[in-house]
Amino acid sequence: MESAISSLRHGGDVLFLMLGAVMVFAMHAGFAFLEVGTVRKKSQVNAFVKILSDWSVSTVVYFLIGYPIAYGINFFQPAAGLLGDNNGFELVRFFFLLCFAACIPAIISGGIAERARFWPQVLAGAIFVGITYPLFESFIWGRNSETLQGFFESAFGAPFHDFAGSVVVHSMGGWLALPAILFLGPRMGRFVRQKSQAIPISNIPFLALGSWILAVGWFGFNVMSAQSLEGISGLVAVNSLMAMVGGVLFALVASRNDPGFVHNGALAGLIAICAGSDLVHPLAAFIMGGIGALIFVYGFQWEQERLRIDDVLGVWPLHGIIGTWGGIAAGIFGGPFFGGLGGVTFLSQLAGSLMAVFYALVTGAIVYGLVSRLVGFRMSDEAEFTGPDLAIHQIHAYPEDHVK
């Protein structure tokens, strides 16, 4: 009887995590449509191919290199050993955590859209997923976590808390993207004689579809981060919902009904809540998501118009800055004073969040600096003018429009 119950529990955990992995995997379609809707028609094919190619390369390098670095587990053994006595739980856990790791090149893709060479970015993404990201992951969630988390607890009173990756995934991806964007420079025609010339997006329905796919998949991203049926929490689900709608409503008002900001506002709220989704009160989640949306609306405008950084999808403010906000906010709203469950401190959350910023900026600058110097990162002027769809993939997104 006991053996049957144990087998059922293991099978339930495998199914639970498998469903979460599929939901987060589906989010990559959201990344694709969000980018396709934001870039021009001459760059839509490239966006689709980049996301799928980066996913495929990420799967291989995380399986062979990244997951062993992060968790000390490799898969170089017979299939019987991989199944073990827990229905292959470690395999499906790899699948689930791969979906997180593969978000890194998917996030970066939106910032460097329309002027980056294809294979150099695939190479950079492979380095991030195979080495850069899992090394940081190992210190927060994985094999080296006791060392760093022990330091945070002794120095600041609590371990660094990031339940579902505001910092480990989103902040990391957004801050890694910033050096790439700066190395590339703006798209042709984006700034003329030091004056901003907005480049219209191509497809609001595709952008909205991308946001909806991401939002639905995010409940797998957050809720299934428990990684077991016993750990599932209704608080995580409702906090994710409240943060999302907080992001939408704050963006709706701040942007004066701009559809791009409204749909990205949902994502801003969801990014902000990941770290503390298992701790905070739902009303606090609403405020955290709303502040995240304000960061994106005003941060995107500041980035583009004041700093003159051509970050096509605004991934630095959306994922980088808001991811950092989410990590810090968990230390503010996660305490009992705001109705949270406690077990976090502001200083540990601040220190961990800033550590991720520094790590991502340094490693991003090194990788993209080497890529730019050794193989070249930016497309030629002619290829950029023609558009990556035709220059790289030899086909338009709408071939029938070009039939003579």
Side-chain angles (χ1 to χ4, degrees):
M1 184 68 176
E2 184 177 340
S3 175
I5 293 174
S6 177
S7 178
L8 185 63
R9 187 179 74 250
H10 288 317
D13 287 344
V14 169
L15 178 61
F16 173 77
L17 204 53
M18 179 64 189
L19 293 174
V22 171
M23 290 179 72
V24 185
F25 176 38
M27 290 175 68
H28 289 265
F31 281 119
F33 275 99
L34 193 72
E35 182 174 336
V36 167
T38 305
V39 298
R40 290 167 288 185
K41 286 185 177 180
K42 65 180 183 179
S43 303
Q44 291 183 336
V45 171
N46 181 245
F48 278 128
V49 176
K50 276 193 304 178
I51 298 295
L52 185 57
S53 299
D54 282 335
W55 164 266
S56 301
V57 171
S58 295
T59 300
V60 175
V61 297
Y62 195 68
F63 185 85
L64 296 176
I65 304 170
Y67 195 78
I69 288 176
Y71 298 99
I73 296 169
N74 68 71
F75 301 109
F76 296 101
Q77 54 182 300
L82 296 177
L83 275 176
D85 57 1
N86 59 2
N87 302 79
F89 178 81
E90 201 63 48
L91 288 170
V92 79
R93 184 169 180 255
F94 151 76
F95 183 12
F96 181 72
L97 293 170
L98 159 69
C99 296
F100 283 52
C103 287
I104 300 299
I107 290 168
I108 296 170
S109 177
I112 64 174
E114 302 206 86
R115 75 272 201 205
R117 294 177 61 205
F118 184 82
W119 287 111
Q121 171 52 25
V122 170
L123 172 62
I127 294 171
F128 293 141
V129 175
I131 301 173
T132 305
Y133 170 83
L135 184 59
F136 187 80
E137 181 184 18
S138 75
F139 282 100
I140 305 300
W141 293 336
R143 65 191 300 191
N144 299 313
S145 59
E146 289 187 8
T147 301
L148 184 63
Q149 297 289 26
F151 167 77
F152 280 127
E153 188 166 10
S154 62
F156 305 119
F160 175 70
H161 187 85
D162 189 5
F163 181 72
S166 287
V167 174
V168 176
V169 179
H170 296 285
S171 176
M172 183 67 57
W175 287 98
L176 281 171
L178 182 58
I181 295 164
L182 295 177
F183 274 115
L184 282 173
R187 290 168 289 174
M188 296 172 61
R190 179 63 182 86
F191 301 103
V192 180
R193 297 187 182 91
Q194 300 302 310
K195 292 185 178 180
S196 175
Q197 303 289 329
I199 296 177
I201 65 178
S202 62
N203 195 309
I204 290 290
F206 275 1
L207 184 155
L209 176 62
S211 175
W212 274 106
I213 293 172
L214 284 163
V216 172
W218 223 292
F219 289 87
F221 198 96
N222 284 3
V223 175
M224 270 71 164
S225 284
Q227 298 189 30
S228 71
L229 279 170
E230 292 180 347
I232 194 170
S233 167
L235 184 65
V236 175
V238 172
N239 280 342
S240 301
L241 175 65
M242 294 297 286
M244 183 191 79
V245 299
V248 170
L249 295 176
F250 276 61
L252 183 68
V253 174
S255 70
R256 301 181 181 180
N257 303 333
D258 181 279
F261 282 124
V262 169
H263 285 91
N264 277 287
L267 308 182
L270 287 162
I271 291 166
I273 196 58
C274 287
S277 58
D278 62 328
L279 296 177
V280 305
H281 189 278
L283 292 178
F286 180 85
I287 298 300
M288 290 166 63
I291 293 173
L294 295 180
I295 291 172
F296 181 67
V297 171
Y298 297 114
F300 183 79
Q301 295 170 347
W302 172 69
E303 175 193 35
Q304 300 282 329
E305 305 305 324
R306 297 294 297 274
L307 298 181
R308 301 193 184 283
I309 296 174
D310 187 17
D311 176 0
V312 181
L313 269 67
V315 300
W316 175 41
L318 181 62
H319 295 274
I321 298 176
I322 296 173
T324 302
W325 157 246
I328 296 170
I332 299 172
F333 295 100
F337 181 82
F338 288 104
L341 296 180
V344 291
T345 66
F346 173 76
L347 287 178
S348 63
Q349 294 304 117
L350 178 66
S353 299
L354 294 180
M355 179 184 71
V357 172
F358 176 79
Y359 177 78
L361 283 175
V362 170
T363 55
I366 292 172
V367 170
Y368 283 113
L370 290 173
V371 167
S372 298
R373 181 177 292 272
L374 297 177
V375 298
F377 192 26
R378 181 158 183 152
M379 298 170 63
S380 68
D381 289 349
E382 180 181 358
E384 184 179 348
F385 180 80
T386 302
D389 289 2
L390 201 57
I392 297 174
H393 309 287
Q394 291 80 53
I395 193 169
H396 295 284
Y398 308 94
E400 69 276 14
D401 293 345
H402 301 272
V403 175
K404 295 183 179 179

